[in-house]
Amino acid sequence: MEQTKTLKLVPELSDEKLKGLYQQMWLIRYFDEQVDQFFAKGLIHGTTHLAVGQEATAAGACALLSDEDKITSTHRGHGHSIAKGGRVDKMMAELFGRTTGYCKGKGGSMHIADLDKGNLGAMGIVGGGIPLAVGSALTAHMKKLDYVTVCFFGDGASNEGSFHEAVNMASIWDLPVVFFCENNQYGMSGNVSEMTNVEHIADRSAAYGIPGVVVDGNDIIEVINATYEATERARRGEGPTLIEAKTYRWKGHSKSDAKKYRTREEEKDWRDNRDPIKRFKEDLLEAGIATEDELETIKQAAKQEMDEAVEFAQNSPMPSLDELLTDVYA
Amino acid sequence: MREITYLEAVREAMSIEMRKNNDVFLMGEDIGVYGGAFGVSRGMIEEFGPERIRNTPISEAGIAGAAVGSALTGMRPIMELQFSDFITIALDQIVNQAAKLRYMYGGKGKVPMVVRTPSGSGTGAAAQHSQSLEAWVTHIPGLKVVQPSTAYDAKGLLKAAMDDDNPVIFYEHKLLYKTSSEVPEEEYSIPLGKADVKREGTDITIVATAIMVHKALEAAAELEKEGISVEVVDPRTLVPLDTETIIESVAKTGHLVVVHEAVKRGGFGGEIASMIAESEAFDYLDAPIKRLGGVETPIPYNPELEKAAIPQVPDIVNAVKETLTKKAVAK
C-alpha cells in the first residue's frame, strides 16, 4: 500500500483547522475575484488592490493567531482581514460603501479594520503601518500582555524610511512583533530586482540584528512554520523576526494596470505551476487529511459564503449624509 | 502663590499624570538622562524609569508611528518631538494615520496621543530649528492644536491634552520655557477651545498666539500711555478655536489686529481674519483687519536679521495705530 506523505508542519494543527485554512484560502480568492468583476462592471467605485495568488501568506501568517493577537495590514489587505477573522459580508458591504460595512462606508477597500478581532487596520500609505505595528507591540510590552503583532507589508514598503526606523526600534526594545514581508515581486510597476540590490528582503534583518527568514510564500506550510517560530520567539520576549514570503500577485497593481512591466508567460507560470491553493490541496490529499470530494465541498461552501456576502452588501442601506460629519474626533 | 517656569509647568503636568496613570508615558529623543534638548524631562527618568521615559533612536517617523500604534491599543503616549521643524519627518504618521484612523474606521478606535514640541525662533538656531509650522496641522481634520503662552496655561492645557482621546499637537515656545507665572501645585485642566482674554480693553482687539501674546501685552502697555485701550485675546488652542470669545471682543472694539510668529502667508492669522470677516462681528469693524506675521523668508542666523524676520513690539504698536487711524480717515 502506498504510504501517505505527512505535512511538514512544526506546530500541531488539527485536520479540521487545516481544512478550515483551505476554505479560507478559497474565500480570499473568491472575494478578490468577485471584487475584480464588480469593478469591471462598475458596481464598485474608487480603487482596489487584489491579492489573488497570495492567499497562502495571509492565511498562513494568521493561522495560529488568536483574537488578542494583532495585525497591521496594507492597501492589498482583503486577504489579511479575512485571515484574521473578518466577515466577508461586512467587508463587501464596505466596498459597496454601505452602513453595514466595517467602516460604515467611510473607509472602503484600503482601510478595513476590525479591532475586536485584532485587525488594527489596512493602511493606504505604503510602509505606514510598520511603525504602527511597533507601537502595538510596545503596548503589549509595557502592559505585559502576551499578544504578538504581525505586521504585513510588501517588498515596495521595505524601501520606505518607516521600515528602517520601525524595525530598528522594535529590535533595540525586543518587542513582540513579526515583520512579515509579502514579496510579490512588484511595487506598482517596479520589479524588486530593480528597486533593491539585495537578493532577499530578509537579508536586511542583519542590519537590525534580528533573524531573517525566507520562505516560499505560496507554500502555506512553510508560511505557518516560519510565522509560528517567529511568534513564539516574540512571545518569549526575544524580539522581532523579519520573514520574507516570496509570492506573486496574479492581477495588476490596482484596477487599471496594463501590466506592461511583466510578461504574460511569467504570469502563466505562476498561475499554472505555483498556485498556492492548488499546492495546499495536493498536500492535504497526499497526507490523507481530506478527500477530493471533501475539498470540493469546502470550496463550494466558500463560494456560497461569498454569494451570501454579496447579497448582504447589495441589500444594505447607504449612509445618510449626516454620517459625513461624525467620527472625526473621539 | 508660588511661581514656576513654563518648562517646569510642562514637566509638572506630565509628572502628576504619570504618577496617577500607568498608561501615560513619554517617548522621544534624548529625553532620558540628558533630560531632553531643552531640559523639560530632566529628572523624570530617575522618578519613572527608562520604560516610561523611553529614550528613542533619532527616528521621528518611527516614534510618531509607535505613538499612534500604542495609543490605538490602549496606551496614552506623549511624544516629545525635539524641534517642531522635525515634524516634517513624522508628518505621515500624524496626518495620514493619527488624524484619520478613527474616521476611516467608521468611528472605531481612538488615538489619544500628545505630540509636545518646541517651536519658534529667537535662539540663533537658524532656518531648520526655528520655524513655527502650526498652521500646517490646523489644516488637518482629526488633529487638535494647542499653543500655550504662559506657565499657568501650559500646565492646564497639557492636562487637557493628555486627557483628550484625540491626537493633540502641543506647541511649546522655546523662549517661553524660562518665563514664570503663578501656577497652582495641584492638578487643573484648561479646556481645549477656550480662549483667554489676557488684557481687557475697549479700542482695539489684538489676537495673538504663543510668544506674541507677551509682545502684544507689551505693546498694549505702551499704547495705554497714549490713551489707547487694547484688548489682548490669546486663543490658546487653534483647533478647536474659541470663535465666540474672539467675535465678542471684535464686536466690542470694532478693530482687529492678528499677530503670530509664523510666516504671514498661509499662517493661521488668515483663518482668524476670515472667520471674523464671515461673522456678525464684520458689521462692527470700523477698519480693515490687520495681520502681522513672519516675513516670507527662512529664519536667518544673524540675531538682528532673526529679530527682523518676525513681528516685534514696535510693529504691533504701529499696526494698532495704523488700524485706528484708518478708522479716522474712513469717518
Side-chain angles (χ1 to χ4, degrees):
Chain A
M1 192 176 134
E2 199 181 332
Q3 200 175 355
T4 52
K5 282 206 292 186
T6 52
L7 297 180
K8 293 195 172 67
L9 262 178
V10 176
E12 276 187 34
L13 290 184
S14 68
D15 289 357
E16 286 315 302
K17 175 74 186 176
L18 290 166
K19 286 186 260 186
L21 287 171
Y22 182 72
Q23 181 164 347
Q24 194 176 69
M25 288 170 83
W26 271 114
L27 195 56
I28 293 170
R29 179 160 300 176
Y30 282 137
F31 187 90
D32 271 359
E33 283 181 341
Q34 184 73 79
V35 171
D36 200 21
Q37 288 166 19
F38 283 154
F39 260 100
K41 289 181 190 164
L43 291 172
I44 299 182
H45 73 293
T47 191
T48 194
H49 306 83
L50 307 174
V52 178
Q54 300 182 200
E55 295 84 359
T57 51
C62 296
L64 292 164
L65 302 183
S66 74
D67 287 356
E68 299 307 310
D69 294 317
K70 318 287 185 209
I71 64 162
T72 61
S73 173
T74 71
H75 58 288
R76 200 175 306 285
H78 303 156
H80 307 145
S81 174
I82 293 170
K84 197 66 180 62
R87 286 173 44 177
V88 284
D89 53 355
K90 293 177 77 172
M91 289 173 60
M92 192 56 86
E94 185 57 35
L95 269 69
F96 272 80
R98 308 300 168 104
T99 54
T100 53
Y102 267 114
C103 313
K104 298 195 290 191
K106 290 175 167 183
S109 166
M110 278 195 283
H111 304 303
I112 291 171
D114 186 1
L115 301 179
D116 296 336
K117 290 279 182 189
N119 177 3
L120 298 179
M123 303 290 149
I125 304 293
V126 172
I130 310 177
L132 202 144
V134 171
S136 165
L138 184 57
T139 297
H141 171 78
M142 293 187 77
K143 284 182 178 278
K144 299 187 170 36
L145 304 170
D146 70 354
Y147 73 77
V148 295
T149 303
V150 174
C151 171
F152 287 105
F153 60 99
D155 45 292
S158 75
N159 291 329
E160 288 278 5
S162 61
F163 168 81
H164 168 67
E165 296 191 14
V167 179
N168 181 57
M169 283 169 69
S171 170
I172 59 166
W173 293 337
D174 287 329
L175 296 182
V177 56
V178 176
F179 297 105
F180 192 100
C181 178
E182 295 175 294
N183 179 355
N184 66 11
Q185 317 296 322
Y186 295 92
M188 191 161 150
S189 68
N191 184 275
V192 65
S193 64
E194 295 165 34
M195 299 303 165
T196 111
N197 260 340
V198 288
E199 189 182 353
H200 304 296
I201 304 293
D203 293 346
R204 291 179 167 176
S205 64
Y208 308 105
I210 63 170
V213 183
V214 179
V215 296
D216 179 346
N218 286 7
D219 179 349
I220 191 170
I221 304 298
E222 273 195 36
V223 174
I224 292 172
N225 288 343
T227 317
Y228 172 71
E229 280 174 19
T231 53
E232 287 301 297
R233 182 173 188 276
R235 284 188 221 277
R236 288 195 302 270
E238 293 170 22
T241 301
L242 173 58
I243 297 173
E244 176 188 6
K246 311 267 191 193
T247 183
Y248 196 82
R249 61 166 157 78
W250 290 7
K251 307 278 182 182
H253 164 73
S254 61
K255 61 168 184 174
S256 49
D257 179 354
K259 297 181 287 183
K260 286 182 184 166
Y261 48 84
R262 67 188 194 191
T263 64
R264 300 298 81 83
E265 290 72 27
E266 177 185 292
E267 293 173 355
K268 189 173 183 314
D269 178 48
W270 280 86
R271 265 201 312 271
D272 293 352
N273 304 317
R274 302 178 71 171
D275 178 344
I277 299 184
K278 200 169 142 196
R279 176 161 190 168
F280 189 37
K281 180 183 173 183
E282 285 162 6
D283 287 345
L284 292 172
L285 290 173
E286 282 177 16
I289 290 168
T291 63
E292 186 85 47
D293 283 352
E294 267 182 283
L295 293 182
E296 184 56 28
T297 308
I298 289 169
K299 181 181 168 185
Q300 290 310 318
K303 180 85 183 69
Q304 191 183 337
E305 187 175 350
M306 202 53 240
D307 291 344
E308 286 165 11
V310 168
E311 199 181 333
F312 172 82
Q314 285 177 321
N315 292 329
S316 289
M318 290 289 185
S320 79
L321 286 179
D322 299 338
E323 272 296 331
L324 174 66
L325 300 177
T326 63
D327 306 323
V328 181
Y329 290 96
Chain B
M1 198 187 289
R2 62 156 194 170
E3 285 199 357
I4 60 172
T5 64
Y6 184 103
L7 181 147
E8 289 164 337
V10 171
R11 182 192 301 146
E12 189 168 277
M14 288 193 288
S15 296
I16 291 174
E17 196 61 25
M18 285 182 65
R19 282 173 205 133
K20 288 194 313 182
N21 187 345
N22 277 328
D23 293 343
V24 178
F25 71 104
L26 179 66
M27 179 163 52
E29 296 159 3
D30 309 298
I31 61 162
V33 288
Y34 193 100
F38 292 88
V40 177
S41 60
R42 200 163 289 155
M44 288 180 76
I45 194 165
E46 285 80 0
E47 180 177 356
F48 299 104
E51 279 285 301
R52 297 180 71 202
I53 302 297
R54 186 164 284 269
N55 211 28
T56 67
I58 303 169
S59 300
E60 290 82 7
I63 306 162
V68 178
S70 65
L72 187 64
T73 49
M75 300 297 285
R76 303 188 75 87
I78 304 166
M79 166 183 177
E80 179 172 306
L81 181 65
Q82 192 165 70
F83 283 80
S84 74
D85 311 71
F86 307 164
I87 204 166
T88 49
I89 305 155
L91 216 45
D92 172 57
Q93 289 296 327
I94 293 171
V95 171
N96 285 322
Q97 267 77 244
K100 294 177 173 52
L101 290 188
R102 186 177 175 82
Y103 190 83
M104 64 192 197
Y105 295 174
K108 285 176 300 186
K110 58 186 185 185
V111 186
M113 63 182 270
V114 180
V115 180
R116 287 184 35 246
T117 190
S119 74
S121 64
T123 63
Q128 297 174 337
H129 291 74
S130 301
Q131 295 167 90
S132 300
L133 300 171
E134 67 276 2
W136 286 0
V137 276
T138 65
H139 193 63
I140 307 301
L143 301 178
K144 296 188 178 181
V145 185
V146 183
Q147 270 192 306
S149 67
T150 67
Y152 176 85
D153 287 352
K155 185 175 171 183
L157 289 166
L158 185 52
K159 166 66 179 156
M162 291 184 294
D163 285 344
D164 203 281
D165 278 340
N166 300 285
V168 179
I169 318 298
F170 192 89
Y171 283 99
E172 297 162 8
H173 198 290
K174 288 162 223 165
L175 295 188
L176 294 176
Y177 273 140
K178 291 191 173 147
T179 62
S180 298
S181 65
E182 288 191 346
V183 177
E185 288 185 33
E186 66 273 14
E187 173 187 279
Y188 59 91
S189 177
I190 298 172
L192 305 184
K194 190 83 198 79
D196 187 37
V197 178
K198 289 281 195 274
R199 177 191 173 111
E200 287 189 15
T202 51
D203 296 331
I204 188 164
T205 300
I206 302 178
V207 174
T209 59
I211 199 164
M212 291 300 154
V213 173
H214 301 272
K215 293 188 195 283
L217 288 170
E218 271 184 63
E222 265 185 47
L223 289 159
E224 189 182 25
K225 293 176 201 155
E226 300 178 38
I228 299 170
S229 169
V230 177
E231 179 146 303
V232 177
V233 180
D234 175 4
R236 299 197 288 199
T237 65
L238 303 185
V239 181
L241 182 67
D242 181 358
T243 55
E244 197 181 322
T245 299
I246 299 170
I247 289 170
E248 245 173 57
S249 176
V250 174
K252 178 174 78 177
T253 64
H255 299 86
L256 175 61
V257 171
V258 184
V259 53
H260 54 58
E261 175 172 340
V263 170
K264 180 177 165 182
R265 182 180 70 206
F268 198 73
E271 179 63 26
I272 293 174
S274 310
M275 182 275 290
I276 287 297
E278 288 176 331
S279 78
E280 64 270 27
F282 181 75
D283 294 332
Y284 294 89
L285 281 177
D286 291 325
I289 299 166
K290 176 82 182 164
R291 285 186 297 149
L292 290 179
V295 298
E296 291 162 13
T297 67
I299 297 291
Y301 168 65
N302 175 282
E304 291 310 311
L305 294 181
E306 186 184 22
K307 266 187 227 162
I310 65 164
Q312 301 296 344
V313 175
D315 301 317
I316 302 172
V317 168
N318 289 341
V320 165
K321 286 182 179 169
E322 195 185 310
T323 303
L324 291 172
T325 309
K326 277 186 182 156
K327 170 192 182 181
V329 171
K331 287 192 173 174

